Amino acid sequence: MVELGRVRYAITTEESEARFNMDETIGGEDIIVIGVTSEIAGEVIVDFDSPITSQVGMIRINVR
């Protein structure tokens, strides 16, 4: 049996992509904006020995 323990995975702009739908009001008109960006960063820590203690850090997505 192999014990992996805690492993940190980084979300980076070079290897990641976020797709999103956003409600927005422009000039008094409600529209739905659909976008894709690689400007995303964050981290996830997976505890393979005790999955319930795994953690998701702040994930930042630039939707400008």
Side-chain angles (χ1 to χ4, degrees), residues 20-35:
F20 56 89
N21 296 346
M22 229 171 29
D23 294 326
E24 190 171 34
T25 302
I26 298 179
E29 185 177 340
D30 294 333
I31 63 169
I32 297 174
V33 176
I34 300 171

Side-chain angles (χ1 to χ4, degrees), residues 3 9 19 27 33 37-38 40 44 49 53 56-57 60 63-64:
E3 291 187 34
Y9 294 95
R19 297 175 182 269
V33 176
T37 183
S38 63
I40 179 171
V44 177
D49 295 332
T53 64
V56 177
R60 291 189 171 98
V63 296
R64 288 185 185 181

